[in-house]
């Protein structure tokens, strides 16, 4: 295993730093602020308490929809025939009728903007066959994400026994959702129409009013039931940094919006994101056995960001590259090692690295000449 250690000067904070001196959401049962690119928690309150999420439940369903599209299992222009089960959903809805035909794209918009219970059930039945199987998929995905305080009993969030999640778990779902531009494209809409130009035209108005009144907010999902109170998972982007906030159990929608706005203001005023390394930026070279060239450039598989606390001094850090012993051929995107970000002898982040370009296998003649050269020079791979 090869190690390369380089020195950097950066502004760093520990993996978990949050405001303890002030309650940013005094009326909420639970709350959290997370910086999206690093996953760092900036503020937390009762984040592991199991609570009813109301329509924030739909975030997991939305994640399954967008992932199904990206896997090629369904397409945005696929037609969904609405079942009697889907059309019978109460609560917030887009007034689907049994037998009505609507695209996956429009149904997704109906969930993202208007929080349609009927729309998420129709989408769930499209993906999984039945509502029950879709709920199983939701719980299976929750386990894959490591969510320990989540159990879904339905895809819409209407009150049901043993249906719960936590502020921390919902923030983890949100972190996955914001990786998909399609989600923010729709959760950032304030108003739109379905069935436009027909006699059943439906006006969509976003249940998240911050989308209209806060220029930085472009999602994600509100929720309300009598048991859950007023809930909101919000996300906003400013100066290259994206924040995710969650509040549970607020007494009024106005309080929910006010405290969420305060949490976002706190995050943006106290922290900033610095890009340490860009995706596809060369961080070193590697020798690969039986490869077409002697060395290949290696690059991070994603941008490496550091979260800065604006009140802290700069510190010296290093990054260390650990590579595997490898043989050609290798495709770009295959993991060839790890890049560790180290501060005070502690690994604070770890990123997969790959080759910048595909590695081809050398022909026999080239390998023969290389072996002769290595024997003469005393070099070995």
């Amino acid at each position: 295993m090869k190690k390369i250690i380089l020195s950097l000067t950066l502004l760093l904070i520990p993996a978990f730093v949050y405001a303890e001196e002030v309650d940013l959401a005094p009326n909420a049962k639970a709350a959290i602020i997370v910086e999206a690119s690093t996953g760092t928690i900036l503020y937390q309150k009762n984040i592991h308490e199991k609570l009813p999420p109301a329509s924030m439940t739909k975030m997991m369903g939305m994640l399954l929809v967008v992932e199904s599209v990206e896997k090629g299992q369904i397409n945005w222009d696929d037609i969904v025939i609405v079942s009697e089960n889907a059309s019978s959903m109460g609560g917030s809805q887009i007034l689907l009728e049994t037998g009505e035909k609507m695209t996956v794209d429009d149904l997704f918009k109906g969930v993202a903007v208007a929080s349609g219970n009927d729309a998420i059930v129709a989408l769930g039945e499209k993906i999984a066959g039945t509502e029950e199987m879709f709920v199983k998929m939701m719980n299976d995905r929750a386990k894959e994400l490591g969510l320990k305080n989540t159990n879904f009993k339905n895809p819409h969030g209407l009150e049901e026994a043993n249906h719960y999640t936590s502020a921390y778990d919902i923030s983890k779902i949100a972190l996955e959702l914001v990786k998909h531009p399609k989600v923010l494209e729709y959760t950032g809409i304030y108003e739109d129409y379905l069935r436009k130009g027909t006699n059943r035209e439906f006006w969509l108005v976003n249940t998240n009013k911050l989308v209209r009144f806060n220029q930085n907010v472009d999602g994600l999902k509100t929720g309300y039931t009598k048991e859950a109170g007023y809930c909101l998972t919000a996300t906003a982007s400013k100066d290259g940094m994206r924040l995710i906030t969650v509040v549970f159990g607020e007494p009024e929608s106005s309080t929910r919006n006010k405290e969420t706005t305060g949490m976002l203001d706190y995050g943006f005023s106290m922290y900033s994101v610095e890009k340490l390394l860009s995706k596809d930026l060369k961080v070193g070279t590697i020798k690969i056995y039986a490869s077409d060239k002697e060395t290949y450039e290696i690059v991070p598989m994603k941008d490496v960001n550091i979260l800065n606390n604006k009140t802290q001094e700069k510190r010296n850090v290093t990054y260390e590259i650990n590579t595997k012993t490898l043989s050609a051929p290798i495709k770009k995107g295959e993991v060839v090692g790890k890049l560790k970000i180290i501060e005070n002898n502690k690994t604070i982040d770890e990123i997969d690295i790959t080759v910048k370009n595909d590695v081809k296998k050398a022909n026999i003649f080239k390998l023969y000449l290389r072996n002769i050269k290595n024997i003469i020079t005393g070099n070995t791979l």
Side-chain angles (χ1 to χ4, degrees), residues 150-165:
T150 294
N151 186 63
F152 297 117
K153 299 294 286 185
N154 62 61
H156 40 69
L158 293 175
E159 293 181 7
E160 190 167 345
N162 208 34
H163 182 92
Y164 58 82
T165 186

Side-chain angles (χ1 to χ4, degrees), residues 2-4 283-284 298 319-323 338-339 353:
K2 182 181 179 182
K3 292 186 178 181
I4 304 171
V283 292
I298 48 179
Y319 70 81
E320 177 182 292
I321 299 170
N322 297 324
T323 58
K338 298 285 185 181
L339 185 149
I353 52 178

Side-chain angles (χ1 to χ4, degrees), residues 57-74 76 104 108 120 123-124 126-128 130-142 144-145 152 154-155 173 176-177 180 183:
T57 298
K58 297 184 180 80
M59 290 167 58
M60 180 59 87
M62 292 166 65
L63 180 62
L64 290 178
V65 172
V66 73
E67 288 178 341
S68 294
V69 172
E70 291 181 356
K71 292 174 184 176
Q73 296 168 345
I74 61 172
W76 290 115
V104 169
F108 191 83
I120 193 63
L123 286 168
K126 171 68 175 178
I127 291 171
T130 67
E131 181 182 354
E132 292 74 20
M133 285 303 297
F134 188 61
V135 173
K136 182 181 184 303
M137 288 178 64
M138 292 169 64
N139 285 314
D140 289 345
R141 189 71 178 95
E144 289 174 3
L145 292 174
F152 297 117
N154 62 61
I173 299 171
E176 291 299 311
L177 276 174
H180 305 279
V183 173

Side-chain angles (χ1 to χ4, degrees), residues 38-227:
T38 62
T40 305
I41 296 175
L42 308 182
Y43 165 78
Q44 59 173 287
K45 175 182 178 179
N46 302 330
I47 62 172
H48 298 299
E49 183 177 348
K50 296 176 181 178
L51 294 166
S55 281
M56 293 194 302
T57 298
K58 297 184 180 80
M59 290 167 58
M60 180 59 87
M62 292 166 65
L63 180 62
L64 290 178
V65 172
V66 73
E67 288 178 341
S68 294
V69 172
E70 291 181 356
K71 292 174 184 176
Q73 296 168 345
I74 61 172
N75 298 302
W76 290 115
D77 57 359
D78 283 352
I79 298 297
V80 178
I81 301 176
V82 178
S83 71
E84 183 178 356
N85 178 52
S87 66
S88 67
M89 289 296 112
S92 57
Q93 52 187 292
I94 59 171
L95 303 178
L96 293 174
E97 294 183 348
T98 302
E100 181 176 357
K101 296 178 181 179
M102 188 172 285
T103 63
V104 169
D105 187 80
D106 279 347
L107 287 169
F108 191 83
K109 187 188 297 185
V111 175
V113 180
S115 193
N117 294 336
D118 47 1
I120 193 63
V121 172
L123 286 168
E125 291 174 340
K126 171 68 175 178
I127 291 171
T130 67
E131 181 182 354
E132 292 74 20
M133 285 303 297
F134 188 61
V135 173
K136 182 181 184 303
M137 288 178 64
M138 292 169 64
N139 285 314
D140 289 345
R141 189 71 178 95
K143 290 177 182 177
E144 289 174 3
L145 292 174
L147 310 186
K148 298 180 179 179
N149 295 299
T150 294
N151 186 63
F152 297 117
K153 299 294 286 185
N154 62 61
H156 40 69
L158 293 175
E159 293 181 7
E160 190 167 345
N162 208 34
H163 182 92
Y164 58 82
T165 186
S166 67
Y168 176 80
D169 286 4
I170 279 287
S171 75
K172 295 286 283 185
I173 299 171
L175 285 170
E176 291 299 311
L177 276 174
V178 299
K179 295 176 182 178
H180 305 279
K182 182 75 169 185
V183 173
L184 296 176
E185 177 185 331
Y186 279 166
T187 61
I189 293 171
Y190 178 65
E191 59 181 347
D192 204 344
Y193 290 88
L194 292 175
R195 312 182 190 92
K196 194 165 186 178
T198 73
N199 60 2
R200 296 190 60 240
E201 187 172 275
F202 186 84
W203 183 35
L204 297 173
V205 181
N206 204 318
T207 56
N208 180 6
K209 304 308 178 190
L210 294 184
V211 167
R212 181 182 182 185
F213 298 110
N214 188 319
Q215 63 179 354
N216 301 313
V217 175
D218 53 6
L220 278 164
K221 192 73 199 69
T222 60
Y224 170 77
T225 64
K226 185 177 180 180
E227 180 187 12

Side-chain angles (χ1 to χ4, degrees), residues 20 22 25 39 121 144-145 153 247 256-257 265 275 277 280 296 300 337 347:
E20 292 181 317
V22 60
V121 172
E144 289 174 3
L145 292 174
K153 299 294 286 185
V247 291
R256 172 180 71 184
N257 293 342
D265 289 346
K275 185 178 290 186
L277 296 169
D280 291 334
Y296 283 83
T347 299

